[in-house]
Amino acid sequence: MKFGTKTIHAGVHPDPTTGAIMTPIYQTSTYVQRSPGDHKGYEYSRTHNPTRTQLQDALAALDNGQHGLAFASGMAATDCIVKLLKPGDEVISTNDLYGGSYRIFTKVYEPLGIKFHFVPMHDMASVREKVNERTKLIWVETPTNPLLNVIDIAAAAAVAKEAGALLVVDNTFSTPYLQTPLDLGADLVVYSLTKYMGGHSDVVMGAIVLKDDELHERLRFLQNACGGTPGPQDCFLVLRGLKTLHIRMQRHCENGRAIAEYLQAHPKVGKVYWPGFEQHPNHEVAAKQMRDFGGMISFVLDGDRKEDAIAVLEKLELFALAESLGGVESLCGHPATMTHASIPAEERLKAGLSDSLIRLSVGIEDVEDLIEDLKQAIG
Ligand SMILES: *Cc1c(COP(=O)(O)O)cnc(C)c1O
């Protein structure tokens, strides 16, 4: 089945009792048993819920995996994966990681005895340098947020395999429309479904997709034991969002290209970060592993002054100033004070994230209107 057909049909089936074509919201916590232990596969909704099951199956199909696991947020999914580790284990990740992932790693798991190395992962030699017998996870996010560096997933998979570590790819920015990490050798794909997958800025959810049965059993155990599971209404919203993933992503990419090119040609704009540019340092890797380049763009203004960036953000009208990304509507943000404020200033600057950086999540509006808005704000 091709991707656009899968977004609509994979994992879901008409309701067996009524024929309802859309997956019902099974708003129930428990299920009646005929006799103790004699039930229809559902006992308690933290463990299983039919709406969640269909979403999990749809997610597995979209990423060419065998199993999907849905969580109450992207962070709950991340948390579940890190719980596979023990004190003394080590993780290698990228130095311009999503701020919330950096926070859970350093503030929650480091004090519990797990060691994290943050390296510029678009240079795979920096990963190899940190590999040792205690390395258990290699955690990739690509393109990175907000600097849009691209990490070579197949190369990271080779390093992980040699080290006997699991490769995790946070695929939130790309979605399976742009890249399917399991096909490139990743062991686990993790999502914030809150972003492009849900796509409508109306739900917070997360997921893990994988192939391996044994690893799935361990994660499913943790999902139920720790209980970070989503409610059925949220699962329904993501199922609904997924049905248009392919056409939304196509438009995000088209609009992203037009805006990246507009910004790059603008005399008052400095560096523009977008992996679709041929001169982007990782463009070759991006072109190899991605189907297109997405709608996330970061840029700085000429002169690189924070006050100028704030002024532009205040003037933008169609681009709403808000955290998050990946919805149908365009958003803008200031990573240094918003999404990445939990990363110390020194670490931020080391990773190249300047205080004047503006991040755009380009929506699926008519691009002429978006460009008009940028024109009036930048001047
Ligand atoms: C938003 C986001 C997360 C966290 O997801 P939540 O749903 O907000 O918990 C993780 N990784 C990336 C890349 C994100 O953008």
Side-chain angles (χ1 to χ4, degrees):
M1 218 187 272
K2 297 187 82 169
F3 190 79
T5 312
K6 276 204 267 187
T7 64
I8 294 162
H9 295 285
V12 298
H13 39 77
D15 183 51
T17 50
T18 63
I21 191 160
M22 286 301 144
T23 309
I25 301 166
Y26 284 91
Q27 194 75 53
T28 187
S29 62
T30 191
Y31 306 82
V32 175
Q33 308 196 2
R34 255 170 271 125
S35 164
D38 179 7
H39 54 75
K40 300 178 175 171
Y42 292 93
E43 297 157 90
Y44 186 61
S45 280
R46 169 159 38 72
T47 319
H48 296 291
N49 175 283
T51 316
R52 192 172 99 212
T53 301
Q54 295 206 21
L55 172 64
Q56 294 183 155
D57 291 349
L59 292 168
L62 289 178
D63 258 288
N64 302 328
Q66 290 297 323
H67 308 283
L69 292 163
F71 292 85
S73 69
M75 291 323 302
T78 295
D79 181 55
C80 187
I81 294 173
V82 186
K83 284 198 177 108
L84 294 168
L85 304 182
K86 296 186 301 297
D89 288 349
E90 295 190 10
V91 179
I92 305 172
S93 190
T94 178
N95 65 352
D96 61 341
L97 190 66
Y98 172 69
S101 305
Y102 180 85
R103 182 174 55 197
I104 195 173
F105 290 171
T106 57
K107 296 274 173 26
V108 179
Y109 282 105
E110 215 157 63
L112 295 177
I114 295 164
K115 188 165 177 189
F116 295 87
H117 302 278
F118 300 97
V119 300
M121 257 190 179
H122 46 280
D123 171 16
M124 209 42 71
S126 72
V127 180
R128 278 193 213 97
E129 249 172 53
K130 298 291 182 196
V131 168
N132 63 53
E133 69 282 359
R134 294 180 298 279
T135 309
K136 292 289 150 45
L137 282 187
I138 295 183
W139 192 286
V140 165
E141 189 184 309
T142 180
T144 63
N145 175 15
L147 291 173
L148 286 311
N149 288 311
V150 178
I151 297 165
D152 188 330
I153 297 171
V159 175
K161 197 157 188 204
E162 208 180 294
L166 295 173
L167 176 66
V168 183
V169 175
D170 183 333
N171 207 32
T172 301
F173 267 41
S174 294
T175 81
Y177 175 84
L178 292 179
Q179 69 192 14
T180 41
L182 298 179
D183 295 335
L184 300 169
D187 299 290
L188 297 161
V189 180
V190 63
Y191 285 106
S192 169
L193 300 175
T194 315
K195 317 295 170 52
Y196 288 106
M197 299 288 269
H200 294 73
S201 305
D202 54 8
V203 65
V204 171
M205 256 185 77
I208 302 170
V209 181
L210 73 160
K211 286 185 179 165
D212 188 78
D213 296 338
E214 209 175 304
L215 191 53
H216 170 246
E217 274 313 306
R218 285 168 68 198
L219 289 165
R220 201 170 62 95
F221 170 81
L222 289 168
Q223 182 198 33
N224 179 53
C226 302
T229 49
Q233 177 120 16
D234 286 354
C235 293
F236 171 87
L237 284 171
V238 175
L239 272 169
R240 180 172 171 148
L242 284 180
K243 292 185 199 301
T244 54
L245 178 66
H246 54 311
I247 46 176
R248 285 188 287 108
M249 288 307 291
Q250 185 183 347
R251 180 66 88 91
H252 282 297
C253 291
E254 287 167 15
N255 285 0
R257 173 178 296 279
I259 286 175
E261 285 169 358
Y262 169 78
L263 290 170
Q264 202 181 37
H266 198 297
K268 291 191 185 167
V269 171
K271 189 163 177 180
V272 181
Y273 299 82
W274 183 65
F277 288 136
E278 266 173 41
Q279 64 272 32
H280 183 287
N282 320 122
H283 177 71
E284 219 172 288
V285 177
K288 181 181 74 172
Q289 71 188 18
M290 298 171 77
R291 287 176 53 186
D292 204 338
F293 305 105
M296 295 303 300
I297 301 167
S298 292
F299 67 101
V300 293
L301 295 165
D302 229 17
D304 203 16
R305 279 181 298 270
K306 180 177 175 179
E307 339 46 286
D308 293 349
I310 304 284
V312 167
L313 288 164
E314 285 174 355
K315 275 192 223 151
L316 282 168
E317 285 169 5
L318 264 180
F319 283 89
L321 179 59
E323 297 210 1
S324 199
L325 59 108
V328 290
E329 70 293 321
S330 292
L331 299 178
C332 61
H334 186 244
T337 50
M338 297 167 72
T339 47
H340 290 64
S342 54
I343 300 178
E346 194 185 314
E347 291 287 318
R348 278 204 311 267
L349 293 171
K350 222 173 19 180
L353 198 166
S354 96
D355 279 351
S356 78
L357 193 81
I358 293 175
R359 189 188 78 178
L360 300 180
S361 169
V362 177
I364 63 171
E365 300 95 335
D366 281 306
V367 75
E368 295 81 358
D369 292 325
L370 297 176
I371 288 175
E372 258 328 292
D373 194 29
L374 288 163
K375 201 177 275 178
Q376 65 78 22
I378 300 171

